[in-house]
Amino acid sequence: MAPELLAPAKNLDIALAAVNHGADAVYMGAPKFGAREAAGNSLAEVEKAVRYAHRYRAKLFLTLNTLLFDHELDEARKIAVAAYNMGCDALIVQDMAFLQMDLPPIPLHASTQAHNATPQKVKFLQEVGFQRVVLARELSLKQVEEIRSSTTVELESFIHGALCVSYSGQCYLSHLLTGRSANRGACAQPCRSAYDLVDGQGKTLFKGKHLLSLKDLNLTQHLQQLAAAGVCSFKIEGRLKDVDYVKNVVAHYRKTLDRVFAGQKRPSSGRVELGFEPNPEKTFSRGFCSYFLENEKAKNIASLNTPKSLGEKIGKIKAVDHQSIFVDLQSNVTPPCAGDGLCFFDSSGTLHGAGVNRVEGKRLWLQNMESLLCHCGLDPQSPNQRIPAQGRHDSRNKNGLAGCSVFRNFDYAFQKQLANPNSARRLIDVDITFEATEKNVQLTATDEDGISVMLTVEKEPVEAKNEERALATLREQLGKSGGLMFNIKSIDLRSKKSNFYTISELNAWRRKLLEMLEEKRTSSYVADNKNIIKNKVAFPYLHKDFKLNIVNNLSKVFYENHGVAQPAWGYELQKPAAGAALMTTRYCVLRELGCCKKEKNAKHLREPLYLENNGQRLRLSFDCKACEMKILEDNNQAATP
């Protein structure tokens, strides 16, 4: 079986688009408790998405992956029961309270926010009843293989999208700075903010850099390796992303998976026909990396200058005048056109953006050109500011745009293709048989999954005057899908005589037959059931601090039943003592800046080191043995003025 392609959906329309563009499964938020406060959906919308997905044998997972307070437990349980009753295929949860609830037999998936990073933890989750575990993003292939060799539970891995710099579920920085809890679905994303890096003497080492903002994940080139390592589901991040992002990225991975795993049975049905050529660089991205999958000490994985989307690189600026820029385009990109959006960094690392008004060859007229030149330190009245040789800045152009890379973060023509309602069609192959007797007509439709329906219509035969024409009309009208989800693959005419039928009759019979098949595909779908059998398997770790994320009594009972004595309340209920790590990350600022203490020739920075932003100071702590960085609240000293 080929791996499952799992797509995000902010709302019903995006869920349908994800299925149409090739997703084998979709995950979307419940009305509440879905870890993305701005991506909740009514139960009626969820049910429509479930029915649509099941027509293609695709699955629908409902996210209930926030931490729950005691007064929310009953409402969360009711949503879980409703999800089961409407046919959802699983619940994605973080809070262990769900394992203590009286739930129907709906499978549970352990959210990545449960911090699923070791064989011991994943095995524990398997033994307490989870059907699937969503792995931590930080894992290398070797670590995934180690988890697989120790467990039999289904493993799901992120392959694309935004990266949290902290281990998921172990970040409390948003709550500290804003009172908005990431584990409650309200993260303020302080990791995307700009910070100064300051040493213990108050010296600013780096100013205004996005030191915690990572590039986006793209594992297009590693799908076969991940599958070989034991991953059965490939997950795309993005429940806050728009429909264009989902269409493009899902279509990209659908094409890639069909090529890489050609010949293997897919988890869902249907063939996708695209009206565009997908390219993940053309929708939101901060630049791509493979994170730690290949290299456990990876560098160049941060987007230090901006947390915004850059898009695809299209070339470099060659010259600038007061009206336009001249760009040497890369050979592998479509030329820019009016309506495109471009961006570039100036020599100081500041990001600038502008829309394209007009294009003539390599010359691009941009919107608000005078203002743009002023912001870049150029004289808008200068008739020509050509780039010096080798892309260097001369004394007259110190803050110019010499050799700057140009990115297209809005592709007007591509967006038009995505906006087309027919940007993709997902079709189920169907074989139709047609047989006429003395009293009736029988039509049978059998699809690629072996699902079959029969339509019998009372109809006395009328012999055709032109047999050849009658047969051609029969095949032509029965061969149309009428805009439904089917592709008529073959037509088997079993009648001994060629009779005459009107086009309206044939169309009505075919339409009724395919509607019956569509309904049967939906009604015959059977979701998996899995009962949770409570046990007392020992929790594999000794720690019992706030990072267990216990904010309700059911979760506390769960950990006590599994051997954790006197577990502490979570951060949302009880702030930990001073010096506790508010974020733990495998990403390291020192390594990213070329200052790793393990590297002999690297420049070593004087510690302690601090991140400062708007009067708030955070202390950095480095566990070089574990190759981890921790961020702590600094209670001893105010930020430097």
Side-chain angles (χ1 to χ4, degrees):
M1 177 77 74
E4 170 187 277
L5 178 59
L6 176 56
K10 178 168 61 176
N11 55 40
L12 174 61
D13 288 342
I14 296 179
L16 305 188
V19 174
N20 290 340
H21 288 74
D24 298 308
V26 175
Y27 64 105
M28 65 188 300
K32 297 176 72 173
F33 316 127
R36 293 292 185 273
E37 208 171 43
N41 297 278
S42 70
L43 290 176
E45 291 170 322
V46 173
E47 186 168 17
K48 290 177 182 178
V50 168
R51 288 182 60 84
Y52 192 82
H54 287 177
R55 296 190 333 178
Y56 292 94
R57 294 306 183 254
K59 295 183 177 182
L60 195 291
F61 306 143
L62 193 67
T63 61
L64 285 169
N65 56 339
T66 62
L67 298 182
L68 303 169
F69 293 140
D70 279 313
H71 70 274
E72 297 170 327
L73 293 173
D74 186 58
E75 185 177 6
R77 191 192 70 82
K78 289 178 180 177
I79 293 174
V81 172
Y84 171 78
N85 290 335
M86 69 177 65
C88 286
D89 293 278
L91 303 178
I92 303 174
V93 303
Q94 174 189 8
D95 201 313
M96 296 300 143
F98 283 99
L99 284 91
Q100 294 296 120
M101 292 180 184
D102 181 19
L103 293 181
I106 185 169
L108 298 182
H109 294 181
S111 169
T112 190
Q113 288 174 280
H115 188 37
N116 312 320
T118 66
Q120 295 88 346
K121 179 64 176 293
V122 175
K123 186 176 182 181
F124 172 76
L125 294 172
Q126 170 188 309
E127 291 176 336
V128 298
F130 284 99
Q131 178 178 335
R132 179 181 294 185
V133 173
V134 187
L135 296 174
R137 293 172 174 90
E138 291 81 0
L139 299 179
S140 66
L141 270 174
K142 180 182 177 182
Q143 290 172 310
V144 175
E145 291 168 352
E146 290 172 350
I147 289 173
R148 175 74 298 158
S149 66
S150 302
T151 63
T152 58
V153 69
E154 293 178 6
L155 300 180
E156 179 178 303
S157 176
F158 281 94
I159 58 167
H160 195 95
L163 287 165
C164 291
V165 67
S166 174
Y167 286 111
S168 289
Q170 304 292 287
C171 183
Y172 310 92
L173 194 57
S174 174
H175 197 282
L176 169 76
L177 299 177
T178 68
R180 294 168 54 181
S181 168
N183 283 321
R184 295 271 298 156
C187 183
Q189 295 190 318
C191 56
R192 302 297 180 188
S193 297
Y195 293 92
D196 297 339
L197 182 64
V198 179
D199 68 15
Q201 305 301 312
K203 180 182 178 182
T204 299
L205 307 175
F206 292 88
K207 188 170 183 60
K209 294 296 183 182
H210 299 269
L211 295 167
L212 300 178
S213 182
L214 300 183
K215 295 178 181 178
D216 288 355
L217 186 67
N218 185 330
L219 298 184
T220 301
Q221 303 302 321
H222 304 284
L223 303 181
Q224 201 161 23
Q225 293 168 288
L226 276 171
V231 174
C232 71
S233 178
F234 293 157
K235 188 171 193 172
I236 298 167
E237 180 277 337
R239 276 200 299 124
L240 293 179
K241 297 293 200 305
D242 61 22
V243 68
D244 292 340
Y245 170 92
V246 173
K247 285 181 177 183
N248 183 28
V249 176
V250 170
H252 164 73
Y253 281 100
R254 179 74 277 148
K255 285 191 67 174
T256 305
L257 285 168
D258 288 347
R259 172 177 52 81
V260 173
F261 299 97
Q264 296 187 34
K265 181 176 173 56
R266 275 179 45 191
S268 63
S269 307
R271 170 176 47 83
V272 177
E273 294 181 350
L274 296 174
F276 65 100
E277 184 60 37
N279 181 348
E281 290 186 339
K282 287 182 177 290
T283 42
F284 190 100
S285 84
R286 302 174 177 90
F288 292 127
C289 70
S290 59
Y291 211 21
F292 296 104
L293 191 76
E294 301 173 275
N295 182 358
E296 296 185 16
K297 298 180 181 179
K299 301 178 183 178
N300 193 31
I301 58 177
S303 178
L304 297 174
N305 290 319
T306 181
K308 297 180 180 179
S309 176
L310 295 177
E312 63 172 337
K313 183 178 177 180
I314 63 170
K316 290 189 176 184
I317 297 177
K318 181 179 180 182
V320 180
D321 64 25
H322 66 286
Q323 293 181 320
S324 57
I325 63 173
F326 297 80
V327 178
D328 278 335
L329 295 173
Q330 295 181 169
S331 60
N332 61 337
V333 299
T334 55
C337 66
D340 281 357
L342 304 182
C343 62
F344 49 83
F345 295 99
D346 65 20
S347 58
S348 68
T350 302
L351 184 68
H352 302 277
V356 178
N357 280 336
R358 183 158 59 99
V359 177
E360 287 185 8
K362 296 183 178 182
R363 190 178 186 184
L364 282 62
W365 281 261
L366 304 184
Q367 296 172 3
N368 303 316
M369 191 65 190
E370 287 193 9
S371 174
L372 182 65
L373 291 174
C374 287
H375 282 118
C376 294
L378 298 175
D379 180 3
Q381 303 306 317
S382 175
N384 193 0
Q385 302 192 56
R386 294 202 174 275
I387 300 302
Q390 288 83 45
R392 298 174 183 165
H393 304 285
D394 64 13
S395 59
R396 295 164 297 171
N397 194 22
K398 289 182 179 179
N399 297 311
L401 305 177
C404 292
S405 295
V406 182
F407 300 86
R408 175 164 48 195
N409 55 8
F410 183 84
D411 188 320
Y412 177 76
F414 187 71
Q415 292 301 127
K416 280 189 68 175
Q417 291 178 314
L418 290 179
N420 189 324
N422 296 318
S423 58
R425 295 180 66 208
R426 186 164 178 172
L427 301 172
I428 305 289
D429 284 340
V430 174
D431 298 313
I432 290 179
T433 61
F434 179 94
E435 186 171 2
T437 68
E438 293 298 324
K439 295 183 179 180
N440 58 44
V441 169
Q442 287 185 342
L443 295 94
T444 303
T446 304
D447 68 24
E448 62 187 62
D449 295 312
I451 299 171
S452 184
V453 294
M454 176 183 289
L455 174 66
T456 301
V457 182
E458 290 187 6
K459 176 70 178 178
E460 293 186 4
V462 176
E463 188 172 347
K465 295 180 180 179
N466 186 326
E467 183 174 348
E468 184 176 342
R469 184 176 177 182
L471 287 173
T473 300
L474 196 58
R475 288 188 177 278
E476 180 182 356
Q477 299 309 313
L478 294 182
K480 298 177 180 179
S481 63
L484 296 176
M485 61 185 290
F486 301 108
N487 170 59
I488 310 306
K489 185 179 178 183
S490 70
I491 301 172
D492 183 8
L493 303 180
R494 296 182 178 178
S495 300
K496 295 181 179 179
K497 294 183 179 180
S498 178
N499 297 323
F500 170 76
Y501 307 99
T502 66
I503 290 177
S504 61
E505 283 178 325
L506 294 174
N507 286 342
W509 297 342
R510 182 204 67 240
R511 184 166 53 251
K512 177 64 176 175
L513 181 71
L514 295 181
E515 287 173 352
M516 290 169 58
L517 182 59
E518 185 174 307
E519 177 56 34
K520 188 170 183 179
R521 286 191 63 84
T522 303
S523 62
S524 63
Y525 182 92
V526 179
D528 292 337
N529 285 344
K530 184 174 175 63
N531 285 298
I532 301 297
I533 301 174
K534 296 177 184 178
N535 58 48
K536 292 186 179 295
V537 173
F539 188 67
Y541 301 108
L542 294 176
H543 77 79
K544 54 184 179 182
D545 65 7
F546 70 99
K547 293 182 183 178
L548 287 177
N549 293 329
I550 300 171
V551 298
N552 62 69
N553 280 290
L554 275 187
S555 182
K556 189 173 185 180
V557 169
F558 171 85
Y559 281 107
E560 289 173 341
N561 287 343
H562 292 280
V564 181
Q566 298 180 328
W569 290 113
Y571 193 98
E572 290 77 7
L573 292 184
Q574 182 175 307
K575 187 175 178 180
L582 301 171
M583 178 190 289
T584 302
T585 173
R586 196 166 181 179
Y587 161 81
C588 180
V589 166
L590 294 181
R591 188 169 58 234
E592 186 71 11
L593 297 176
C595 303
C596 176
K597 291 188 281 187
K598 287 185 175 182
E599 296 180 6
K600 293 181 180 179
N601 297 323
K603 178 184 177 182
H604 293 173
L605 303 181
R606 185 175 1 181
E607 298 183 50
L609 296 174
Y610 301 91
L611 297 179
E612 294 188 356
N613 174 283
N614 291 329
Q616 178 72 48
R617 186 159 82 166
L618 304 166
R619 182 163 62 89
L620 299 180
S621 173
F622 303 96
D623 183 346
C624 293
K625 184 177 180 181
C627 261
E628 290 182 339
M629 181 180 74
K630 300 179 189 298
I631 297 180
L632 298 81
E633 182 180 8
D634 181 54
N635 298 307
N636 301 318
Q637 188 175 346
T640 56

